[in-house]
Amino acid sequence: MRRGHTNGSALTRRSVVGGAALATIASTGALRGTAEAATASASASAGEPWVPVPIPEQVPVTEYSVPVSGGGSLWCWDTGGDGEPVVLLHPGSGSGESWPHQQPVLAGAGLRVIGYSRRGAYNSVAGTKAEADTASGDLNTLADHLGLDRFHLSGSAAGGPVSIDYALSYEDRLHSLTVSGSVMGVMDTEYEELTSALQPDPFGDMPVDFKELGPSYRGGDRSGVAAWLEINSRARTSDAFAQSLAHTITWSALETLTLPVQLITGDADLYSPPSIMRLNAGHLRDVRTHVVREAGHNPHWEQPAVWNRLLLSFVGRHRAGRS
């Protein structure tokens, strides 16, 4: 089925990607784990007020229900076209609906944009746990179904470990990998102790918008918070279960990756603050890191103009023939 979705006020691609509604980015380039000074900033300075970005009008998409093992299915949307594909992996608090700020902007830049709900998320069917593939295996099934050869992959929050797991299994299928606002699923004891210390009781009982959205965004864009909460309210289905990964993700495993990786986090991320992001970056061979100001765990939603700009720049740098 081909369908267009309209959410809120329409924006031009220029106003979303390069207009005044930009937060400042702090960036660092790193190669083989060695920090290297770099500069990258949006047009707004740190002293200028942040302006919320309304959800733009969506472009038409084709929707699919892709069968996966164990009687499950993945709801997927695809903007189509001849551009290089980019697949978006949603946070655990969201679903394939989590990308209205990205869908028209990335498509307008000439990319084929694909989003989907993992098992147990909105419009997808979890199936039988005992017969289910890994989450990265499901992604590979989806890529085969859509006829993708090589593509760019971006995983946010809980989508981050899935994207890392996919890269460890199918690195030759990726042009680039972006991981945003994610602890990345690293299982080293030292790292798990550190990240657990950042979330003391009663952190788990706090409201989801408090945990996942930064205070500047919660205070500055109440309608945006309401739209995010609406997606969150229907994100999990009644048959949801935790899916396994194909690999145990460790720092030593990260060190085996040779593809270009971009790490993004918000300066107010309670799960993966900049210090945690930099710690993981030190175990990647070819990595760039970015801190988005006035953003929490979901910078793609809270500061979409900056986040989209970072993704488009990175994808453009690693297009086919340039990687």
Side-chain angles (χ1 to χ4, degrees), residues 39 41 74 80 84 126 166-167 175 205 208 226 275:
T39 59
S41 62
L74 306 178
E84 286 192 2
Y166 189 85
H175 291 301
D205 298 326
V208 65
S275 58

Side-chain angles (χ1 to χ4, degrees), residues 159-177:
V162 179
S163 67
I164 293 290
D165 196 50
Y166 189 85
L168 291 171
S169 295
Y170 307 101
E171 184 172 4
D172 60 352
R173 201 161 185 178
L174 297 178
H175 291 301
S176 72
L177 172 62

Side-chain angles (χ1 to χ4, degrees), residues 8 69 78 80 82 95 112 148 150 169 171 180 184-185 195 198 202 206 227 232 234 278 305 312:
S69 61
D78 180 359
D82 298 326
S95 68
R112 176 184 176 184
L148 306 184
R150 295 184 69 195
S169 295
E171 184 172 4
S180 176
M184 298 170 59
T195 54
L198 295 176
M206 300 300 288
N232 169 260
R234 56 177 176 262
R278 290 191 295 267
L312 287 170

Side-chain angles (χ1 to χ4, degrees), residues 214 216-217 265-269 292-299 302-303:
S216 186
Y217 182 75
T265 200
D267 61 357
D269 192 327
V292 180
R293 293 177 180 167
E294 296 197 65
H297 196 47
N298 288 258
E302 300 169 71
Q303 301 288 358

Side-chain angles (χ1 to χ4, degrees), residues 65-66 68-75 117-128 138 237 239-241:
S65 180
V66 180
V68 287
S69 61
S73 65
L74 306 178
W75 172 65
S117 293
R118 296 190 294 278
R119 294 179 191 248
Y122 175 77
N123 260 2
S124 290
V125 176
T128 304
D138 282 350
T237 60
D239 61 349
F241 56 78

